[in-house]
Amino acid sequence: TGALAKVGEEIEELTSAINEGNQNHIQAEMGDLLFTCANLSRHLGVDADAALRQANQKFRDRFARMEQAVPAESMREKSPTELDALWEDAKAGA
C-alpha cells in the first residue's frame, strides 16, 4: 500500500538524519516515522495502541526470561554480544 511505502521513505529519511548526526533532525524524523507507522496501522485496521502494548509485553516477557537465566548483578557484566545471545535465547523460548 501507499502507507507501507511511506514507512520505507521515512526510514530512509531517518537513516539520513542519523548519518548527519544532528540530534534534532533525528528526533524529528523519528517522530515522522512513528506517526507514519500509526497511520499504517489505521490503514491495516490494526489498533496501534493495542499492538504497541502487545509488543511491550512481549519485550517484558523476554527480558524476564533473560533475568531468570542470569542473576541481575551479573547481567551488568555481560558484553553486548553476550546480552544479544541471551536475548536470542529468550526469543527462542517464546
Side-chain angles (χ1 to χ4, degrees), residues 33-48:
L33 175 59
L34 291 170
F35 181 84
T36 302
C37 286
N39 192 41
L40 175 60
S41 285
R42 184 179 61 81
H43 281 284
L44 297 174
V46 172
D47 180 337

Side-chain angles (χ1 to χ4, degrees), residues 7-82:
V7 170
E9 179 183 319
E10 293 299 340
I11 289 171
E12 288 177 13
E13 291 176 10
L14 176 59
T15 300
S16 177
I18 291 168
N19 291 336
E20 234 176 59
N22 179 319
Q23 195 62 30
N24 289 333
H25 191 196
I26 292 168
Q27 182 171 324
E29 293 301 339
M30 189 71 222
D32 289 351
L33 175 59
L34 291 170
F35 181 84
T36 302
C37 286
N39 192 41
L40 175 60
S41 285
R42 184 179 61 81
H43 281 284
L44 297 174
V46 172
D47 180 337
D49 184 58
L52 184 56
R53 288 178 191 276
Q54 183 179 14
N56 284 335
Q57 185 60 53
K58 187 171 29 174
F59 174 85
R60 285 190 297 271
D61 292 346
R62 289 176 180 169
F63 197 84
R65 283 195 291 277
M66 287 175 65
E67 289 178 319
Q68 289 171 352
V70 177
E73 56 276 355
S74 70
M75 185 89 76
R76 288 185 212 101
E77 298 168 5
K78 299 289 183 193
S79 71
T81 302
E82 291 170 317

